[in-house]
Amino acid sequence: MSFVASSRVDMVDYNLLQKLKGSGMSTLYYGVESGSQRILNLMRKGITLKQAEDAVKSAKKAGLSVLTSFILGYPGETEEDINRTIDFSIKLKPDYSQYSILTPFPGTPIYRELHENGLISSKNWDKYTVLEPVLDYEKMGLTKSMVKRKLVEAYLKFYARPNYLLKHRYMIKEIFQIILRSFILPKLKGGTGKGWYQDI
C-alpha cells in the first residue's frame, strides 16, 4: 500500500522515517510556515528553523518525497521576513513547496484575535481562498498588493529555477496551468478568482 502523510518537523527522526518508507509511505508533508524564527515564535509554532532543516534532510535521506508549506502575510511580518521565508523554502530543497496567504477562517483563534483588533478587511467569503489577502495590511505596515506579489514571486522563484525545471520537466505544463488559473484568469473576463483548485 502506498500512502502520503503529514507531520510536524519536530515529531520525526530518520529511523522512524525509514520504517514509514518501508511500510509504503512515498511523500511527507511538512507545515514549516515561515523562514523567520521571529515569525515562527509569533505564530507559537513551537519549532526552530534547524528542526525544519533536519526534518527535510532526514526524509530525503530515507528516500521520501517532501512537500513543504509556508504562510505569507502573517501579522507582524515584514517584507524582509517574507523574503527570508521564500529563500528558506528554496534552501530546504524539498521536492515541492506550497505557499498561501494567511487566511483567518471564522471559528479559529486567529480570526477572533484579528477581528477584535479590527484587522480583517473583508468578509466576502469568496475571497477566503488562501490566494487573496483579506487582512487590512495597511494597518500593519504592508500592502495587499505587495503580499499578493510575494505569493507569485514565491512560486516563480521556487518552481521556475532552471535546475528544478530540468529535474522536473514533466511539471512545466502543470506549473503554467496553476499560474494561469490562480493569477491570470481571475483578472480576465470569465476567470473565477476562486483559486486554481476549484477550476480543475
Side-chain angles (χ1 to χ4, degrees), residues 127-145:
K127 291 184 177 293
Y128 281 58
T129 63
V130 308
L131 299 175
E132 287 287 334
V134 295
L135 302 188
D136 193 343
Y137 281 110
E138 284 68 21
K139 290 182 180 178
M140 296 181 270
L142 303 176
T143 65
K144 289 183 179 181
S145 60

Side-chain angles (χ1 to χ4, degrees), residues 32 41 51 55 58 62 68-69 73 83 85-86 92 100 102 106 129 134 136 138-139 142 144 148 156 159 170 182 197:
V32 181
N41 295 343
Q51 286 174 320
S58 293
T68 52
S69 177
N83 291 336
T85 293
I86 296 171
L92 288 177
S100 57
L102 177 74
T129 63
V134 295
D136 193 343
E138 284 68 21
K139 290 182 180 178
L142 303 176
K144 289 183 179 181
K148 285 188 72 171
L156 289 176
Y159 288 103
Y170 64 92
S182 299
Y197 52 84

Side-chain angles (χ1 to χ4, degrees), residues 102-146:
L102 177 74
T103 304
F105 293 105
T108 60
I110 195 166
Y111 179 88
R112 291 192 293 271
E113 181 181 339
L114 293 172
H115 179 69
E116 289 169 3
N117 287 285
L119 294 175
I120 295 178
S121 65
S122 176
K123 289 189 178 178
N124 177 357
W125 308 126
D126 285 343
K127 291 184 177 293
Y128 281 58
T129 63
V130 308
L131 299 175
E132 287 287 334
V134 295
L135 302 188
D136 193 343
Y137 281 110
E138 284 68 21
K139 290 182 180 178
M140 296 181 270
L142 303 176
T143 65
K144 289 183 179 181
S145 60
M146 187 277 285

Side-chain angles (χ1 to χ4, degrees), residues 20-200:
L20 289 169
K21 170 69 175 177
S23 299
M25 187 167 76
S26 61
T27 305
L28 189 55
Y29 177 109
Y30 288 128
V32 181
E33 316 309 2
S34 179
S36 164
Q37 189 62 54
R38 183 179 71 83
I39 299 303
L40 287 175
N41 295 343
L42 282 178
M43 291 176 173
R44 298 186 285 275
K45 181 70 176 174
I47 63 170
T48 66
L49 297 177
K50 178 67 164 52
Q51 286 174 320
E53 291 184 70
D54 290 344
V56 172
K57 286 179 183 176
S58 293
K60 299 289 285 182
K61 184 179 177 183
L64 295 166
S65 292
V66 177
L67 190 158
T68 52
S69 177
F70 297 89
I71 295 173
L72 308 180
Y74 195 85
E77 198 168 38
T78 65
E79 185 172 357
E80 184 179 351
D81 289 317
I82 295 175
N83 291 336
R84 282 199 188 101
T85 293
I86 296 171
D87 292 341
F88 187 66
S89 71
I90 294 170
K91 177 184 177 183
L92 288 177
K93 297 181 180 177
D95 297 279
Y96 314 100
S97 197
Q98 172 184 305
Y99 307 89
S100 57
I101 295 174
L102 177 74
T103 304
F105 293 105
T108 60
I110 195 166
Y111 179 88
R112 291 192 293 271
E113 181 181 339
L114 293 172
H115 179 69
E116 289 169 3
N117 287 285
L119 294 175
I120 295 178
S121 65
S122 176
K123 289 189 178 178
N124 177 357
W125 308 126
D126 285 343
K127 291 184 177 293
Y128 281 58
T129 63
V130 308
L131 299 175
E132 287 287 334
V134 295
L135 302 188
D136 193 343
Y137 281 110
E138 284 68 21
K139 290 182 180 178
M140 296 181 270
L142 303 176
T143 65
K144 289 183 179 181
S145 60
M146 187 277 285
V147 174
K148 285 188 72 171
R149 188 175 71 251
K150 287 298 178 182
L151 179 66
V152 176
E153 182 182 318
Y155 275 107
L156 289 176
K157 276 193 169 182
F158 187 90
Y159 288 103
R161 291 172 291 152
N163 60 339
Y164 185 89
L165 290 174
L166 185 64
K167 185 177 179 181
H168 302 83
R169 290 185 293 275
Y170 64 92
M171 287 187 61
I172 294 176
K173 181 180 177 182
E174 294 300 322
I175 292 168
F176 175 76
Q177 288 179 342
I178 289 171
I179 293 172
L180 179 69
R181 290 169 175 160
S182 299
F183 307 110
I184 298 176
L185 287 182
K187 296 181 183 299
L188 302 175
K189 186 176 179 180
T192 66
K194 295 183 180 181
W196 66 270
Y197 52 84
Q198 295 191 27
D199 292 330
I200 293 178

